Structures are given as C-alpha cells and as structure tokens.
Amino acid sequence: MKDQTYLDPMHLRSFLAVAETLHFTSAAQTLGFSQSTISQHVSRLEEQLGTRLLARSTKAVRLTDDGMALVSLGQRLLQVESNLFAYFRKGIPRGTIRLGVTEDLLLTRFPEILGTFRAAHPSLQITMTVGLSASLTRLLENDEIDLLCGMRRSSETHGQKLWTEELRWFGPEATLPGKGASLPVVTFPEGSVTRRLAIEALNRAGQSWHIAFTSSNLSAILAAVRAGYGVTAQPSFLSGTEGLSVYQPDSLPPIPDVDFIAATRHQTAQGPEDLLIRTLCDHISRLRPIPLS
C-alpha cells in the first residue's frame, strides 16, 4: 500500500457506485460527476490500496477478488462516517431508553421495527428488559424503565394503545375434561393480564378449573401446553404455532380482548421514548402481527 495516510471517502463512493452497476456512465450519473472523474477516483483508490479493484475491458467491467472484498468493507466504513456525523449533528436525539417489553411482543414484528429505529437513531442507546406486564409496570413506577410495551385489559385506559388483539384458548383436544371435571390451566403467575381474564371467563361460565402449570416464561408455557399439561389463554397471533391447537368458541368460554400498549411514567411521553412511541404508532400496520407458521 503506497499511501496509508488518507483515504478519500469520495473515491470510495465512486468505486461503490461502479461496483453496484459495473458501469462507469451509470455511476457518473448517480453521483453527478463526469465519467472521467469517476475513473480517476477509482484509479487513485487502486493506487492507494496497491491492488486492482476492477478488471476493465472495452466490452465489460467486473470486480476482482479484492474489489468484491472492498464492497463490504467500504460500505461499513462509510456507515461509520455517517454515524459519526449524525452523532454530532445538532438536534439529533441522544441518550438511553430503558425499554420493558412483554415476551409475546417479541413474537410479532416488534424486533424488526426496533431494529429499524436503532439504525435511524444511532446516537440513542436502548436497553431492554423482558417480563410480564405486571412486573414491568412496577419497574416503570419505580423509575427503573422509561417505556413499557405490553398488554392491558381493553377496558383500561392507561398507556397509548397500539392495537387490540383477541385472546384464544390453546391446547391439545385431549386436555378437555369430561362434563363436570376440572379444567387444567397453564398460565403465568398472579398479576398476569391473560391469567385474570381466563379465570374470570371460566368462573362466569361455571367451569371448574385448577392451575396445572405456571411459569413467567412464555416459551415454558407453550412447551407445557404441547406436553398436555392443560390449556392456556394467549393472543390469537399464536395460532399456527407448531403443536398448538385453537379451541372453537363453543368448546370453552370466550375471553375478552386485550390491548397492546406503550406506556411511560408521565401522561405525555417525553424525550427519546416519545420518539420511539411515535415510530411504533407510525408502523402499526407492520407491527400488528400475522399468524405464525
């Protein structure tokens, strides 16, 4: 390598533009330079790196092995440069969002949208705690998290509603008890929204029940249902999950809908968490889950 002191980002952009189309004229039009300028940029880059990046002939342009390697490396380098300027740009939000999320939300498109948000706001740090809505609410009240994304009864009003979801009964058909027998229920610990709604529905219907399995972990709940421990009340978007069957409405009593929400300690969200809530609300059509397969 002849010159290690300075690598002009514009030379790298010119090379990447050519690498994308393998056409100097197209790269020149994309960047607003003349074709000769693009060629000079690529030649200077090859000189600095001490290697051929493009194999050129009168008929075609192709990437050399080093050229293919530089595409990925160059893109990452330019992204670092972009993040650096973004961090020091005035008006760019900075800080940390302490986020609390229920486990069921991780089975929706929530992680995908959160990833998009983080890419758009590299100066914001996000720490995440996963738990039940009740435990996350206590953390929020104790100022241990800034934003809660979880579940509430549809009759409640706290937080900002993201969407409304049906609750359904899941479990193997063999679990249904005979007439007058007690129904084995697989559920979360006390304080769970789905637990309260399921038990209230069973009590209204006069159905005998008992807790057969309890865990604060959704994966453990679903594993217990698959193993035949009992039935569970969960969001309808879990329908289609392997090993889980949805009971028909006449098999067990219907359960009220729930709301998925975003909530902060303050009535009006402030700071970076407000930006995240607005992003979630802007992407409701993408956030709202489809049945898993």
Side-chain angles (χ1 to χ4, degrees):
M1 188 181 297
K2 296 184 179 180
D3 184 359
Q4 298 180 339
T5 58
Y6 177 70
L7 187 68
D8 191 331
M10 197 63 251
H11 295 171
L12 190 54
R13 289 190 178 90
S14 293
F15 163 74
L16 291 176
V18 175
E20 183 176 0
T21 62
L22 296 179
H23 199 273
F24 277 81
T25 301
S26 297
Q29 292 172 346
T30 298
L31 296 180
F33 292 140
S34 67
Q35 184 174 334
S36 60
T37 298
I38 296 292
S39 181
Q40 290 171 7
H41 287 175
V42 173
S43 296
R44 175 56 177 158
L45 189 59
E46 289 178 325
E47 180 183 346
Q48 284 188 288
L49 296 178
T51 187
R52 291 286 301 277
L53 301 173
L54 298 171
R56 288 170 267 190
S57 69
T58 57
K59 295 184 178 181
V61 175
R62 65 176 180 83
L63 290 166
T64 65
D65 289 343
D66 285 341
M68 287 188 284
L70 184 59
V71 170
S72 176
L73 293 170
Q75 289 171 339
R76 281 153 47 192
L77 180 61
L78 292 180
Q79 184 61 54
V80 169
E81 180 193 52
S82 176
N83 291 347
L84 185 150
F85 282 107
Y87 183 86
F88 291 102
R89 194 176 298 131
K90 290 184 179 179
I92 294 297
R94 299 184 181 88
T96 299
I97 301 176
R98 299 170 299 170
L99 176 62
V101 181
T102 53
E103 190 177 355
D104 41 22
L105 265 176
L106 300 182
L107 300 179
T108 71
R109 294 188 178 95
F110 187 94
E112 172 190 334
I113 295 173
L114 186 60
T116 301
F117 177 85
R118 295 181 64 162
H121 305 285
S123 300
L124 280 176
Q125 298 296 318
I126 298 178
T127 63
M128 186 184 299
T129 300
V130 178
L132 299 177
S133 292
S135 61
L136 294 177
T137 297
R138 288 192 293 272
L139 293 178
L140 187 66
E141 292 171 347
N142 294 333
D143 195 27
E144 295 179 56
I145 60 174
D146 304 307
L147 175 61
L148 180 160
C149 291
M151 185 188 295
R152 75 178 182 196
R153 293 171 176 256
S154 288
S155 59
E156 296 176 326
T157 58
H158 65 278
Q160 182 164 340
K161 184 172 77 171
L162 300 176
W163 82 87
T164 298
E165 186 72 21
E166 294 180 352
L167 288 184
R168 293 183 179 178
W169 294 104
F170 292 88
E173 291 290 344
T175 303
L176 280 178
K179 186 176 181 181
S182 178
L183 178 73
V185 177
V186 176
T187 187
F188 293 112
E190 285 284 355
S192 159
V193 175
T194 54
R195 176 185 173 121
R196 292 199 310 269
L197 290 174
I199 290 175
E200 289 171 3
L202 292 171
N203 288 339
R204 282 194 302 270
Q207 169 68 57
S208 298
W209 58 271
H210 65 277
I211 301 297
F213 183 97
T214 183
S215 173
S216 59
N217 184 282
L218 179 59
S219 298
I221 293 285
L222 301 183
V225 171
R226 292 188 186 98
Y229 277 81
V231 300
T232 188
Q234 298 297 335
S236 61
F237 58 75
L238 289 175
S239 59
T241 302
E242 184 178 357
L244 292 182
S245 300
V246 180
Y247 288 130
Q248 297 300 318
D250 58 351
S251 300
L252 287 173
I255 320 168
D257 295 342
V258 293
D259 292 336
F260 280 93
I261 64 166
T264 64
R265 291 182 66 208
H266 309 284
Q267 189 170 9
T268 303
Q270 303 172 354
E273 57 268 29
D274 172 61
L275 184 61
L276 178 53
I277 290 177
R278 283 190 276 117
T279 299
L280 293 172
C281 291
D282 289 343
H283 292 83
I284 288 299
S285 61
R286 289 177 56 215
L287 176 61
R288 190 169 186 175
I290 58 175
L292 302 177
S293 57

